[in-house]
Every structure is written in C-alpha cells, then in structure tokens.
Amino acid sequence: VLAGGVSGLFVLGTTGEAPGLSHALRCELIERAGEQIAGRVPMLVGITDTSQAESLQIAEHAADCGAAAVVLAPPYYFPAGQQELWEHVERLVVELPLPLVLYNMPSHTKLSFEPETIRRAIDRPEIVGLKDSSGQMVYFHKVARLAAARPDFSLLVGPEELLAEAVLLGAHGGVCGGANLEPRLYVELHQAAAAGRLADVRRLHARVMDIATSVYGVRAGGSAVIGGLKCALSLLGICSDLPAEPFSAFGSAERREMAARLAELGLEPVRSTEY
Amino acid sequence: VLAGGVSGLFVLGTTGEAPGLSHALRCELIERAGEQIAGRVPMLVGITDTSQAESLQIAEHAADCGAAAVVLAPPYYFPAGQQELWEHVERLVVELPLPLVLYNMPSHTKLSFEPETIRRAIDRPEIVGLKDSSGQMVYFHKVARLAAARPDFSLLVGPEELLAEAVLLGAHGGVCGGANLEPRLYVELHQAAAAGRLADVRRLHARVMDIATSVYGVRAGGSAVIGGLKCALSLLGICSDLPAEPFSAFGSAERREMAARLAELGLEPVRSTEY
Amino acid sequence: VLAGGVSGLFVLGTTGEAPGLSHALRCELIERAGEQIAGRVPMLVGITDTSQAESLQIAEHAADCGAAAVVLAPPYYFPAGQQELWEHVERLVVELPLPLVLYNMPSHTKLSFEPETIRRAIDRPEIVGLKDSSGQMVYFHKVARLAAARPDFSLLVGPEELLAEAVLLGAHGGVCGGANLEPRLYVELHQAAAAGRLADVRRLHARVMDIATSVYGVRAGGSAVIGGLKCALSLLGICSDLPAEPFSAFGSAERREMAARLAELGLEPVRSTEY
Amino acid sequence: VLAGGVSGLFVLGTTGEAPGLSHALRCELIERAGEQIAGRVPMLVGITDTSQAESLQIAEHAADCGAAAVVLAPPYYFPAGQQELWEHVERLVVELPLPLVLYNMPSHTKLSFEPETIRRAIDRPEIVGLKDSSGQMVYFHKVARLAAARPDFSLLVGPEELLAEAVLLGAHGGVCGGANLEPRLYVELHQAAAAGRLADVRRLHARVMDIATSVYGVRAGGSAVIGGLKCALSLLGICSDLPAEPFSAFGSAERREMAARLAELGLEPVRSTEY
C-alpha cells in the first residue's frame, strides 16, 4: 500500500475489522503498523468502541506508536441522540492525546453525525476531519459546505465508488478498501480528480466500479466486502483470507469465482520481492 | 432485588450497560455480584461483545465467579447473515466454560436470531435458553412453539410490559429492568401468570404499565429507559444516577419530574437498613 | 365467515388488498358485501388511500351501502409527522358520513399513530376505535391504557397470533386474516379469552399458531400471508387464488406444499352447500 | 420552467404530489400541462399508483394528451420482492400505450429497483429510462454501468444536490424540484457538467446547495421539501402554497423565515409578464 503512493494509512477501521479484534490484538496491530510505516505517511488509528475507557486506552497506545490522529465512529450499541452524541464527543476529546477525526458510518453504527453536529465539531480545534462512509452524497455536500469554513478540516470519503465525485466537488481524499488491492489506481484517481482531469477521472472511476462490482459481488450479504477483499488479497498472495468473527473465509466455489474475476480484471499475484 | 424474591440475576445486560463498561469494570462487577449473590440464585452473565476473544475472557471470569450461565446477543457492528450468525455461535459455544443463553435484542444489535436459527440452537445441549427482547410477540410465539420440543430450554422475555402475556402463553420468566425498582411486583406478576390467576395478572400488569409509562416516559429518545431507571433508583436511594457513556445523568428538571411521578406511583426512598 | 359466527366484517383492509384494487372494483365490492351481509353484523369499510378525495368518495359509497364505520390507515406515500398526521385526520373526520376507526399498520404505511395521537383521537367522538396491526404489544398496552378512559372506544388487534393475549389484557376483538379460512376457531379463541378460560385459550392459540406457521410459511417475503391465504382458500374451494398486483398466484410446487399442509391441519374442502 | 430552458417536463411525480391528488385532478393536470407545453419539450407523466388498473387509465389519458413517456415507481403499499416487482412491471409494460421510465424512490416506496432488475429492464425496448431518486450514488454508478450497454436508455437523477456529479459521471440529466424555482440554474449546471466545464460546475453546484439548504431547511421532517418549495414559489408569485393532504401550508413564522432566506439568495418575485 505504501509503495502504491498513498498519502496516509487508516488502521483499525471497518475493513480493518477493528471491532472484531481483541484489545490486545488491536494494540499489537498499532505497534507493528507504526513500525512498518516509520513516519513515511501519517498513521490514523481507529479507536471506535462501545466503551469510552477502552477507546482512550487505544488512543494512548496510538500516540505512543506514532499515530498522527485517532478516528472515532459513533457509539454503536446504545442509541444516542445527537445532543448526547455531541456531549459524548466533547467529554472524550479533552482526554485524547491526539487530534480526532470523526467517522460517519451509519450502516454499522445506526447513528450518524448529523450536519448540525458536524458544524459544532468544526468549531473545535481538536477535531481535524471527517471520514464519511454513509454513501449519502446529499449529506456529504451539506457537510462539505460547512467544512469550507475551516481550511484545515479534512474531508474524506469512505466508499471508493464515490471517490471521484467527492474529490471533484470538495473532498480532500478517500479511505478506500480496494486500495489494499490496487493502491496505485486509487491514488491516481484521487490525483486526477484533484487536478480536474475529467477524462482520466472517468476512465479510472470506471475501473474502480469494475473492481468493486466484481470483487464485492461474489458473495451477497454483509460480508460481501470484507470477505471478498480478503479472498482477493489471499489469491494475490498478500495476506490470509481469514476474517475476524462473525465472518468466515470464502469457500472453494467462491474462491474459484473470485480467481476468475481477478483474472478478468488483470489482477495477478504479487511477486514476493515486491512488498 | 434478591430480597424481592427474584429467581435469578442477569448482570451485564443492556440495562446493566455492559457494552459501555471497560473490560476491567465488567470483570469487577462479575466478582462483586458473585460475592453478593453467594449462590442464593443463579447468576447469568452477559458476554456480548464485538470481539469473540473478549467474550470468551468474560465467560472464563464468569465461570470462576460462580455464574450459572452466560448470555450472548448477536454481533452488533458487522452485519452478519443468519448462517454466519449460527456458525459464529457454533464456534463460540464449544469454547465456553458455561451453558449459553441466547439474547435476541434487534433494536440494539440490528440482527435477530431468526426462528430457524433458534430451531438449530434447541438441538445443541450447550444452549439452554433464550431471552427475547425484540418486543415482537409474533416472533416470540414462533420460537415458543419450537422450544416446546425441549422441556429444559428456558424462554425468557425482555420488555416487562410483555411479561404477563409471555408467561400466560408459554414463557418461563422475564428479565425486567423495572425489577430493579420494585422487584416484588414483577415476581408477583410472574407467579400470578404462571398460576393462571387472571384477575391478579391484570391488576399487576396495569401497575407494570403505570411504572413503565411513568418512569421511562420522562425523557424521549434512546436513553429514556436506562436514564429514567437510574434517575428513579437514585431518587429512591438505591444507586447513583450516572449512566455509562454515551448517556448522561438526568438534569434537575427531569429529576424533579421523576420525583413527582415516583410519588404518584407511591414509590418511596428505601431506608438503608432494608438492603 | 358469517356462518362462523364473527361479530363483524372489515372489507377493503390489507388482506382484502384494497390498495391494489381499482376504485370501481372497491365500490363494487362494498356493494356486494353490503348486500350479502344484509345488516346481520356491522360492516367496516377501509377507505385508506393516498388521496383524501378518493378516501371520501369511498366513504360516501360505504355509507350508502350500509356500512357501520370506515377504517383509515395513515397516508403511505408522503412521510408525514405526527402533528401533520393528526391534523390530516381532523380535516378528514369532519367530512366523513360515518364513524371512523383508525388502523395502525406501520409495516405497510411506514407511519404509526403514536400513543399521543391516539390520546387525541380518544377525545373525538367521531373516532370510535383502533385496529392495531403493528405487532408491537408494548405499543398496544400503552394505547389500551389510554383507551380505558373511554368505554365505547373499540380496540382491535391485527395479527391473529396476538389475538389471545390482546383480548386477555384488554382488547375488544381482532381482525384476523386466518378467519377467512376457519372463522369458528378465531371466534372461539376470542370468546375463551374474553371469558378468561385459560386452558381453552392456550389450546386454541396453539392451533392459531399452527395455522399461521403453516399457511403463511410456504412462501417467504412480502406475499407470504396474502398469497398463502388465497392459495389455501382456493384449495378449500372458497375463492380464486389470484391476488391483485403486484403479487401473483402460487405456482404448482407451492400449491402442492400448501395442500399437504392443509391436510396435516385437517382443513378440508368446503362442500358447496355449506356457504 | 419552459422559459428557463428545460429539456422536458415530468408531471405527477413526488414534488408534483401525484399520490395525494384525486384521479380526476391528475387527469385535469395532464390535460392542462399538455396544452401549455404544446409539444415544445417532451412531457413525462407519472402513473405510479397502488392499483395497476388506475395506473393504466392514467397512462391512456397521458397518451391522449401528447405525453412522450410514462413514469412508474414501485408499488408502495404491499411489500413485493424483486422477482415480483419485475413480473409486475412486465405485465404492465405490455399494456402501456407509451414508453416507460422507471422511477427509483425507496424513501417513499420502501422498495428499490435493484441493479439486477434494472439489468432486465435494459433488455426491454419498451423501457426507455430510469429516474433514480434514491440519493445512493453507489447504486447509481452500478446502474449507470449497466445502462452504458444501451445508448438510448436515459439515466436521470432525482436529488438536485447530486445533479453535478451524476452528469459528470454518466447521467443524461436530472429531474430537479428546485428547477420550479430557478430553472435556468439547473439547466446551466446540467450543460456545464455535460460539457465538463468543472469551474462552472463547482460554482453552480454551490448555488444549488445554497438553495437546497435554505429552502428545504426551514421546516424539519417529511414535508420540508414540498412544503418549502411551495412556500417559496408562493412568495415569488408563481403558485399557491397549498400542498395536497397530508401536508399543510407553512404558517406565518415559517413564511417570514422563508422570505428572509429568499432575499438572501437574491430570489425575487416574478413579474407577471414573465410567465
């Protein structure tokens, strides 16, 4: 991923399966990622947890391991309202050793950071950005309009299928699961969109759609993306295909289907010397 | 609660705010509850967590502290399907040191144990019951029909407003948040329903509805129940009103309103010698 | 159905597929039902429509055909709030030629009559009842508590699986789709529950659950109930199995499965002289 | 609107409040719109209804009044599955006197045309386009990828906040509620996006966001858009502010707030000679 030219790394997000990992494993992952990155790009670390005390411990560890910021999605068991959500963030933010990026992820948390809450966040210097994975571009444009008031506030988009338009219309970047597979594609799409090279944007966006449709479409249901991505990475020789609970690795029929799709996409196993 | 005559105690459920507590605090709570209960009634311990490794650690601790069973709601971040959910339970159950009670809680987990999954669970001797907090009595009757095939399978209902009908039509008991406030009422309602004394059931059910409507109706939104219950318990001198994150204690206006409602219900502060 | 001893007939409800019928057909159905019933029991007529003008026309026709009351679910295309919903009902009710029964059906309308709106409805003499098909018994008990203030307000429950408990705890009756199949069963369950004969209630409720689980479980998805019921009625020689758009009749495999289930339930074709 | 340079007119859509109008009024509206348009641009007519017979009657009338195509959203009372939805469309399409445009509007219909259903629709020559009002751009890109296989298939986007990106990445146009207010803005944005003039796109998109945020943000809830738009149109002297049931016109406080916002946006009453 680093060789692909990414501007930063977000570890312990949703594709990183953070909520499925033990706290000890999350800490080990932060350590090892910090060592590998070695300051070449900023490392962002997810601290989302249903327990604030646990979130704070992970944040402390992230600070010790050289993270640039921590990332927080809303609480995802108890159904808080917006005022409660904001007060919760306010109580947390003063305890954090690092700047905070908010992470809007309603499909998994049931709860959004609504535009009015983002307006408040923009007034807090400790909060330095938002990753929006809602897939709701009307929402995105509303918060982009608010974020324009603060030039150092980073606006990132989650679903890679939306990277093109988000960057064309105001986002600073994206956090793309597919960039684990072919990082240079997403880097190039980001650059083309930021530079306003529309023909390139359309060509690269079309390939992003091809990859997303193929790789995330082998299996139906909630494990389509994580399971598909891990299966593909495993076939390319990059990592194991074993997801965390409650998911499980693709079976042999799904694996064969994925191999055929990767071949059609021209994605081939990485030679060991490359990474 | 013990003095009120309950048949068992379920610690670290939703009203117990388990997901909002640090793992260390969950463990301390298990220890202290185990010591206080001292085997007088069975202790059930919630092990619901997004990480299976953490669930297992809590289960081990619960076994060490004398729990009778552990209780598991579905994973609540990643959206699993029913087949994945069942395989996840199957992988977990063979590792557990104690019998397992399933906990259906879709308002908080987004995911239900569907009747077909309950049918499979009933075939596994390690799984000894279900607490259904869905509030969906059509669902409840479907699983009750399945559970009838295994006499030692315990069927418990969550919302206290449904205790009467659930027990009249097949449940073995309930896990009632309001029983923290007036345990004897819920014990008596359970007994009346189990014995088929309909006039008593109607009278006691009406009081349960009065309490639920009053105590959980001061505040709107997702913290209505937990916040309301803790505020009431605090006014009665039983425990602090501070909920875990992301919620916060009731303000003074809400507290005054609650005090007026408790007075109307005839609920008065407990004298310290009583507990 | 009349021979089965029912206390009333509700035509043009959900199982009656009213929204799928043309307005001309709805009017014909009201006429023919009115003629057949001939005043033996009260006829209730559904006027639910996205257009208030159309609702009023159906209501006028119902009055002309001898209906006792009309039944209205919330608007089901535009997402109104509770205040809007109530004002909408208030504007309608003064134009109606007949008393109004509200119909809570959130699975199909997306919108509920919340308890506070029911409280307002209870203060209006033109509104004489509520049919609750939400399947949410906590909601039901809340509105039953409010309705107790007005003895002439009828409280009916929708899902037949909930008839037993609703009547045991305060409902006046139910509107049961399955009563098209075996009306006497539902009449007897209602009588047993109203009289507090618990052993009979449990026995009859068990048969209701057997029928619902069997007949509505042949097909999955949104046409399970209507499609299943019509297929069963057709096999019993009572009516055609053709549902209105967007649904379609069961295929031959589903039909064979249904026939086997009906045989197991002991449901046999009606001889033509019986009805 | 015609003077603003639009490429076509869609009457009896959601902003047109079709489901709230009587059938007679819908027919009158088609006639009068057809007369006013007089063939200058294509007229599309919404035939969405819960009754297929009613849909067909409106379609016949639309054909008689010179419509170019009819537009159909999924059934919105009974919850059909995708296979049922598709078969329903297939049965309808052979009866229609005009080409059909599908209308994806899940917020109001609860049901989407899923990509696989769109794939089937693209194979039917009678179906000539899709208006996607889901607001889900990941979905939009998936169907755009499919629609690329058939050059004469029109892809239109609903929410005006998404017009820029949709046209930049493959849509042929949009159906924008705000174009009732300031049609030329949306026409210019469409042209800029189709021509790839990014600086213009960003400027015009920013104004679209200003209008949408202001005009649709006076009131919260489900009537925010329709109520806001009608209030604004009324203040500009274009039409009455009375919406169809179940909504009601803005009150005086909301009206004053809207007037202030329109002034800030530089939107002034239309002189009567202009239209």
Side-chain angles (χ1 to χ4, degrees):
Chain A
V1 171
L2 286 170
V6 301
S7 309
L9 267 163
F10 173 24
V11 301
L12 294 175
T14 300
T15 308
E17 299 179 277
L21 307 181
S22 73
H23 285 257
L25 186 50
R26 291 188 219 178
C27 285
E28 184 185 341
L29 196 143
I30 295 167
E31 281 161 41
R32 293 176 62 173
E35 283 166 19
Q36 271 199 276
I37 297 170
R40 286 176 284 176
V41 297
M43 173 170 76
L44 279 67
V45 174
I47 61 168
T48 304
D49 200 278
T50 48
S51 158
Q52 196 189 60
E54 302 291 342
S55 290
L56 279 169
Q57 281 183 24
I58 301 170
E60 293 294 341
H61 197 70
D64 293 345
C65 296
V70 291
V71 186
L72 179 83
Y76 50 99
Y77 188 80
F78 295 109
Q82 286 299 304
Q83 179 65 23
E84 287 170 324
L85 174 59
W86 174 242
E87 290 175 8
H88 166 70
V89 169
E90 276 197 312
R91 284 189 297 266
L92 179 70
V93 87
V94 295
E95 306 286 338
L96 286 174
L98 289 172
L100 178 64
V101 173
L102 300 178
Y103 179 14
N104 193 43
M105 185 59 175
S107 63
H108 287 57
T109 62
K110 305 184 295 269
L111 182 63
S112 276
F113 291 107
E114 290 183 6
E116 185 53 35
T117 303
I118 297 298
R119 185 196 299 272
R120 289 166 156 190
I122 287 166
D123 285 341
R124 293 290 302 231
E126 305 95 325
I127 303 178
V128 298
L130 171 71
K131 174 185 173 189
D132 176 30
S133 291
S134 69
Q136 307 284 340
M137 289 304 291
V138 175
Y139 167 89
F140 179 85
H141 293 311
K142 284 183 187 166
V143 299
R145 203 166 157 272
L146 299 172
R150 187 173 141 201
D152 69 321
F153 191 90
S154 281
L155 200 52
L156 308 175
V157 72
E160 59 210 67
E161 296 93 332
L162 306 177
L163 178 62
E165 64 213 88
V167 174
L168 284 172
L169 294 172
H172 301 98
V175 184
C176 304
N180 290 290
L181 209 57
E182 192 182 356
R184 198 170 305 275
L185 168 64
Y186 299 84
V187 169
E188 287 176 2
L189 175 51
H190 174 258
Q191 290 168 343
R197 288 183 274 110
L198 262 181
D200 289 340
V201 168
R202 286 176 186 140
R203 179 178 48 83
L204 297 162
H205 169 72
R207 179 156 173 84
V208 166
M209 287 307 302
D210 286 346
I211 289 177
T213 308
S214 292
V215 174
Y216 308 152
V218 171
R219 178 185 281 188
S223 59
V225 174
I226 287 177
L229 193 57
K230 285 210 150 171
C231 176
L233 290 170
S234 150
L235 284 161
L236 298 184
I238 293 171
C239 73
S240 157
D241 63 350
L242 183 68
E245 295 282 341
F247 296 148
S248 57
F250 274 27
S252 56
E254 291 172 315
R255 207 170 157 84
R256 274 195 303 275
E257 172 66 24
M258 182 66 78
R261 293 182 178 204
L262 292 178
E264 205 173 322
L265 289 164
L267 285 168
E268 291 179 0
V270 176
R271 280 165 301 142
S272 60
T273 54
E274 287 183 81
Y275 66 108
Chain B
V1 170
L2 286 170
V6 300
S7 310
L9 267 163
F10 172 24
V11 301
L12 294 173
T14 300
T15 307
E17 299 178 279
L21 308 181
S22 72
H23 286 258
L25 187 50
R26 290 187 219 178
C27 285
E28 185 185 341
L29 197 143
I30 295 166
E31 282 161 40
R32 293 177 61 173
E35 284 166 17
Q36 272 199 275
I37 296 171
R40 286 177 285 177
V41 297
M43 173 169 76
L44 280 67
V45 173
I47 61 167
T48 305
D49 199 278
T50 49
S51 159
Q52 196 188 60
E54 302 290 343
S55 289
L56 279 169
Q57 281 183 24
I58 301 171
E60 293 294 341
H61 198 68
D64 293 345
C65 296
V70 292
V71 185
L72 179 84
Y76 49 100
Y77 187 80
F78 295 109
Q82 286 299 306
Q83 178 64 24
E84 287 170 324
L85 174 59
W86 174 244
E87 289 174 7
H88 166 69
V89 169
E90 277 197 313
R91 284 189 297 266
L92 179 69
V93 87
V94 295
E95 306 286 336
L96 286 175
L98 289 172
L100 178 64
V101 173
L102 300 179
Y103 179 15
N104 193 43
M105 184 61 177
S107 63
H108 287 58
T109 63
K110 304 183 297 267
L111 182 62
S112 277
F113 291 106
E114 291 183 5
E116 185 52 35
T117 303
I118 297 297
R119 186 195 299 271
R120 289 166 156 188
I122 286 166
D123 285 341
R124 294 289 303 232
E126 306 95 326
I127 304 180
V128 297
L130 170 71
K131 174 185 173 190
D132 175 29
S133 291
S134 68
Q136 307 284 342
M137 289 302 293
V138 175
Y139 168 88
F140 179 86
H141 294 312
K142 284 183 188 167
V143 299
R145 203 166 157 270
L146 299 172
R150 188 175 140 200
D152 69 322
F153 192 88
S154 280
L155 200 53
L156 307 175
V157 72
E160 60 210 66
E161 297 94 333
L162 307 178
L163 178 62
E165 64 214 87
V167 175
L168 283 172
L169 294 171
H172 302 98
V175 184
C176 304
N180 290 288
L181 209 57
E182 192 181 355
R184 200 170 304 274
L185 168 65
Y186 299 84
V187 169
E188 288 176 1
L189 175 52
H190 174 258
Q191 290 169 342
R197 288 183 273 109
L198 261 182
D200 289 339
V201 168
R202 286 176 185 140
R203 179 177 49 82
L204 297 162
H205 169 70
R207 179 154 174 87
V208 166
M209 287 307 302
D210 286 346
I211 289 178
T213 308
S214 293
V215 172
Y216 308 153
V218 171
R219 178 184 280 186
S223 59
V225 174
I226 286 177
L229 193 57
K230 284 210 152 172
C231 176
L233 289 171
S234 150
L235 284 161
L236 298 183
I238 294 171
C239 72
S240 155
D241 64 350
L242 183 68
E245 296 281 345
F247 296 149
S248 56
F250 274 27
S252 55
E254 290 172 316
R255 207 169 157 83
R256 273 194 305 275
E257 172 66 23
M258 183 66 79
R261 292 182 178 204
L262 293 178
E264 205 172 323
L265 289 164
L267 286 168
E268 292 180 357
V270 176
R271 280 166 300 144
S272 61
T273 54
E274 287 183 81
Y275 66 104
Chain C
V1 169
L2 286 170
V6 300
S7 310
L9 266 164
F10 172 25
V11 302
L12 294 174
T14 300
T15 307
E17 299 179 278
L21 308 181
S22 73
H23 286 258
L25 188 49
R26 291 188 220 179
C27 286
E28 185 186 340
L29 196 143
I30 295 167
E31 282 161 40
R32 294 176 61 172
E35 284 166 18
Q36 271 199 275
I37 296 171
R40 286 177 284 176
V41 297
M43 173 169 76
L44 280 68
V45 174
I47 61 167
T48 305
D49 200 279
T50 50
S51 158
Q52 196 188 61
E54 302 291 344
S55 289
L56 279 168
Q57 281 183 25
I58 301 170
E60 292 294 342
H61 198 68
D64 293 345
C65 296
V70 291
V71 186
L72 179 83
Y76 50 99
Y77 187 80
F78 295 109
Q82 285 299 304
Q83 178 65 23
E84 287 170 325
L85 173 60
W86 175 243
E87 291 175 6
H88 166 69
V89 170
E90 277 198 311
R91 284 189 297 265
L92 179 70
V93 88
V94 295
E95 306 285 338
L96 286 175
L98 288 173
L100 178 64
V101 172
L102 301 178
Y103 179 14
N104 193 43
M105 185 60 177
S107 64
H108 287 58
T109 63
K110 304 183 296 270
L111 183 63
S112 276
F113 291 107
E114 291 183 5
E116 185 52 35
T117 303
I118 297 297
R119 184 195 299 272
R120 289 166 155 188
I122 286 167
D123 285 341
R124 295 289 302 231
E126 305 95 327
I127 304 178
V128 298
L130 170 72
K131 175 186 173 189
D132 175 30
S133 291
S134 69
Q136 307 284 341
M137 288 303 292
V138 175
Y139 168 89
F140 179 86
H141 294 311
K142 284 184 187 167
V143 300
R145 204 168 156 269
L146 299 172
R150 187 173 142 202
D152 69 321
F153 191 90
S154 281
L155 200 53
L156 307 175
V157 72
E160 60 211 67
E161 297 94 332
L162 306 178
L163 178 62
E165 63 213 88
V167 174
L168 283 173
L169 295 172
H172 302 97
V175 184
C176 304
N180 290 289
L181 208 58
E182 192 181 356
R184 199 170 303 275
L185 168 65
Y186 298 84
V187 169
E188 287 176 1
L189 175 52
H190 173 257
Q191 290 169 342
R197 288 185 272 109
L198 263 180
D200 288 340
V201 168
R202 286 176 186 141
R203 179 178 50 83
L204 297 162
H205 169 72
R207 178 155 174 87
V208 166
M209 288 307 303
D210 285 345
I211 289 177
T213 308
S214 291
V215 173
Y216 308 152
V218 171
R219 179 184 280 186
S223 59
V225 174
I226 287 177
L229 193 58
K230 284 211 151 171
C231 176
L233 290 170
S234 150
L235 285 162
L236 298 184
I238 294 172
C239 72
S240 156
D241 64 349
L242 184 68
E245 296 280 343
F247 296 148
S248 56
F250 275 25
S252 55
E254 291 172 315
R255 206 169 158 83
R256 272 194 306 275
E257 172 66 24
M258 182 67 78
R261 292 183 178 204
L262 292 177
E264 203 172 322
L265 289 164
L267 286 168
E268 290 178 0
V270 175
R271 280 166 300 140
S272 60
T273 54
E274 288 182 80
Y275 66 105
Chain D
V1 170
L2 285 170
V6 300
S7 310
L9 267 163
F10 172 25
V11 301
L12 293 174
T14 300
T15 307
E17 298 178 279
L21 308 181
S22 72
H23 285 258
L25 187 49
R26 289 188 220 179
C27 285
E28 186 186 341
L29 197 143
I30 295 167
E31 282 162 39
R32 294 175 62 172
E35 285 167 18
Q36 271 199 278
I37 296 170
R40 287 178 283 177
V41 298
M43 173 169 76
L44 279 67
V45 174
I47 60 168
T48 305
D49 200 277
T50 49
S51 159
Q52 196 188 61
E54 302 290 343
S55 290
L56 278 169
Q57 280 183 24
I58 301 170
E60 292 295 341
H61 197 69
D64 292 344
C65 295
V70 291
V71 185
L72 179 83
Y76 51 100
Y77 187 80
F78 295 108
Q82 286 299 305
Q83 178 65 22
E84 288 170 323
L85 173 59
W86 175 242
E87 289 174 8
H88 166 69
V89 169
E90 277 198 312
R91 284 188 298 264
L92 179 70
V93 88
V94 294
E95 305 286 338
L96 286 174
L98 289 173
L100 178 64
V101 174
L102 301 179
Y103 179 13
N104 193 42
M105 184 60 174
S107 63
H108 286 57
T109 63
K110 305 182 296 268
L111 182 63
S112 277
F113 291 108
E114 289 183 8
E116 185 52 35
T117 303
I118 297 298
R119 184 196 300 269
R120 289 166 155 190
I122 287 167
D123 285 342
R124 294 289 303 231
E126 305 96 326
I127 303 179
V128 298
L130 170 71
K131 174 185 173 190
D132 175 30
S133 291
S134 69
Q136 307 283 343
M137 290 301 293
V138 175
Y139 168 89
F140 179 86
H141 294 311
K142 283 182 188 168
V143 299
R145 202 165 158 271
L146 299 172
R150 188 174 141 200
D152 70 322
F153 191 89
S154 281
L155 200 52
L156 308 175
V157 73
E160 59 210 67
E161 298 93 332
L162 307 178
L163 178 62
E165 64 214 85
V167 175
L168 283 172
L169 294 172
H172 302 98
V175 184
C176 304
N180 290 290
L181 208 60
E182 192 182 356
R184 199 169 304 274
L185 168 64
Y186 298 84
V187 169
E188 288 177 0
L189 175 51
H190 173 257
Q191 291 169 341
R197 289 183 273 108
L198 261 182
D200 289 339
V201 168
R202 286 176 185 140
R203 179 177 49 82
L204 297 162
H205 169 71
R207 180 157 173 85
V208 166
M209 287 307 302
D210 285 346
I211 289 177
T213 309
S214 292
V215 173
Y216 308 152
V218 171
R219 179 184 279 188
S223 59
V225 173
I226 286 177
L229 193 58
K230 284 211 150 171
C231 176
L233 290 170
S234 151
L235 284 162
L236 298 184
I238 294 171
C239 74
S240 156
D241 63 350
L242 184 68
E245 296 281 344
F247 296 148
S248 56
F250 274 26
S252 55
E254 290 172 316
R255 207 170 157 83
R256 274 195 304 277
E257 172 65 23
M258 183 66 79
R261 292 183 178 204
L262 292 178
E264 204 173 321
L265 288 165
L267 286 168
E268 291 178 358
V270 175
R271 282 165 300 144
S272 60
T273 54
E274 286 182 82
Y275 67 105

